[in-house]
Amino acid sequence: MLLSCLRTRICSMTTGLLSGYCRYRCGGMRLVGNANLRRASSRIEVLFGVAPCFIALSRGRRVCHALYTKESRVQQRPGSQELPRRAAELGVPVRRVSKRELDKLSGGRVHQGYCLEVSPLKFTPLDLRTAEEEAHSDGCRLWLLLDRVQDPMNLGAILRSAYYFGLDRVVVGLHDSCPLSPVVSKASAGAMEDLDVYASETLPELIKVKIGQGWHVVGTVGSASEKISVPVIPCSEFQYSQPTVLILGDEPFREVQGTLTYLPTMQEDTIQTLLGPVALSPGNEASGLSPQIQQLCHSFLTIPPGQRRLHPGIDSLNVSVSAGILLHVLVSSMKMHQCCPSHIGSESDP
């Protein structure tokens, strides 16, 4: 008798859970019952903010499960209905909820009245064989390598700059980078939703492949106390004419003193040897570039400070700010030499 009752109770619970599932073309199998149960699954996360949600819907790289928008009795501003309209066109359910629920969905972050339940976005794998096969591909002019960038806000800001300047490729270390999370997407203003971010099992081996293809590897200065045997180049003096790999370190740009050799003191023929393919690698914000990567760099870039005497602790630039400055300098130099990333339109000669 007791066993019979238990079986009846278990069957009832199972039926209730299964009734929470349904199918629709955009999302495949989806839980529409308990919201907390849905998000407990590792296959669902919540984007927040207008730009990440709209671009994710438009690009179609994720499975979109439901759009949540704030219920309001006041007239909404012009254009505010574009996102729900887009979701409805794609067959994604639109649910109007309270601000409290949106705050809960976004973890208390700024959501601008919209949250979107989606499948996670993964890195695009980049193995060494693929990198070797790309040796003669057209347009691969500027790569950005991120060494141990683990702060999602920094990663998002860097991706926004990389997207804006049209880099050919952004590569992170597969095992030492933060994931492509909703926080990264919001910090990138949605650029992450439209940008392929590659991941390599081992950045040092990838750099060696690019060196073998004739690329020039440029690192960043980590601190004034470091003794570096290769040239250190103020970014305003760097001249670019061929493909490049840029590598950023964490808190890489401190005031540089006389222990380093600057490029302007070198002979012209030595300067010309630096004008080859380049890789840029920003590191994390605690220890700069790893020793393995430092040893592979042909030269280092630095951003000299202004005239102000810098207080210890604020004598450096944030890695994402540094990335924006350096990418602007490199892309500007590339345009002057009519050598641009494949995503940047170069103007023809008059």
Side-chain angles (χ1 to χ4, degrees), residues 61 121-131 143-146 155 159 169-180 195-204 206:
R61 300 172 67 194
L121 193 62
K122 303 295 185 181
F123 293 113
T124 301
L126 178 62
D127 56 47
L128 298 181
R129 182 175 181 178
T130 301
W143 284 22
L144 175 64
L145 270 61
L146 305 178
L155 179 57
L159 293 181
R169 188 149 298 179
V170 178
V171 185
V172 303
L174 181 61
H175 303 295
D176 53 18
S177 173
C178 66
L180 297 177
L195 180 68
D196 287 324
V197 182
Y198 292 81
S200 173
E201 286 278 353
T202 167
L203 289 181
L206 175 63

Side-chain angles (χ1 to χ4, degrees), residues 137-150:
S137 61
D138 295 333
C140 286
R141 305 291 186 179
L142 181 58
W143 284 22
L144 175 64
L145 270 61
L146 305 178
D147 181 27
R148 300 174 297 164
V149 174
Q150 298 172 352

Side-chain angles (χ1 to χ4, degrees), residues 42-332:
S42 60
R43 296 183 179 181
I44 295 180
E45 60 187 23
V46 179
L47 292 177
F48 53 92
V50 173
C53 294
F54 187 82
I55 298 175
L57 282 168
S58 301
R59 290 289 287 115
R61 300 172 67 194
R62 299 178 184 258
V63 176
C64 299
H65 296 280
L67 175 69
Y68 293 85
T69 181
K70 185 173 67 173
E71 55 186 5
S72 176
R73 296 180 181 177
V74 300
Q75 185 176 3
Q76 296 179 319
R77 62 181 182 275
S80 62
Q81 289 303 305
E82 181 62 28
L83 214 167
R85 188 180 302 115
R86 181 61 173 165
E89 290 174 355
L90 296 172
V92 179
V94 179
R95 300 196 175 103
R96 300 192 180 278
V97 297
S98 66
K99 180 179 181 299
R100 177 178 297 180
E101 179 63 19
L102 287 175
D103 291 341
K104 184 177 179 181
L105 283 166
S106 65
R109 299 180 179 90
V110 179
H111 50 68
Q112 299 173 294
Y114 292 101
C115 290
L116 180 65
E117 282 187 338
V118 293
S119 61
L121 193 62
K122 303 295 185 181
F123 293 113
T124 301
L126 178 62
D127 56 47
L128 298 181
R129 182 175 181 178
T130 301
E132 291 171 352
E133 292 173 350
E134 293 177 338
H136 303 292
S137 61
D138 295 333
C140 286
R141 305 291 186 179
L142 181 58
W143 284 22
L144 175 64
L145 270 61
L146 305 178
D147 181 27
R148 300 174 297 164
V149 174
Q150 298 172 352
D151 185 293
M153 299 296 290
N154 282 333
L155 179 57
I158 292 171
L159 293 181
R160 182 175 184 176
S161 295
Y163 181 83
Y164 180 82
F165 288 114
L167 266 67
D168 294 289
R169 188 149 298 179
V170 178
V171 185
V172 303
L174 181 61
H175 303 295
D176 53 18
S177 173
C178 66
L180 297 177
S181 67
V183 175
V184 175
S185 185
K186 184 65 166 67
S188 74
M192 186 188 89
E193 305 300 322
D194 195 36
L195 180 68
D196 287 324
V197 182
Y198 292 81
S200 173
E201 286 278 353
T202 167
L203 289 181
E205 293 302 318
L206 175 63
I207 294 171
K208 290 177 183 178
V209 169
K210 305 313 291 182
I211 291 175
Q213 294 171 354
W215 287 55
H216 188 74
V217 179
V218 178
T220 50
V221 172
S223 83
S225 61
E226 293 184 68
K227 294 183 179 180
I228 302 175
S229 58
V230 299
V232 176
I233 309 164
C235 62
S236 59
E237 303 291 335
F238 185 81
Q239 301 178 32
Y240 176 91
S241 65
Q242 295 177 6
T244 299
V245 180
L246 178 60
I247 308 177
L248 289 176
D250 56 19
E251 298 292 353
F253 300 101
R254 290 184 171 84
E255 185 176 2
V256 179
Q257 300 175 356
T259 57
L260 302 173
T261 304
Y262 283 87
L263 184 62
T265 64
M266 303 171 64
Q267 298 298 320
E268 183 176 354
D269 57 347
T270 304
I271 294 177
Q272 292 301 318
T273 64
L274 298 176
L275 302 183
V278 184
L280 171 61
S281 174
N284 72 44
E285 293 202 62
S287 57
L289 297 180
S290 64
Q292 281 182 297
I293 290 181
Q294 287 185 20
Q295 294 172 4
L296 295 171
C297 294
H298 299 121
S299 59
F300 288 85
L301 294 180
T302 185
I303 302 175
Q307 300 301 315
R308 181 189 302 274
R309 182 180 178 86
L310 302 179
H311 191 281
I314 50 174
D315 57 347
S316 64
L317 290 176
N318 175 278
V319 64
S320 62
V321 174
S322 305
I325 294 172
L326 288 178
L327 293 178
H328 169 68
V329 169
L330 285 176
V331 171
S332 297

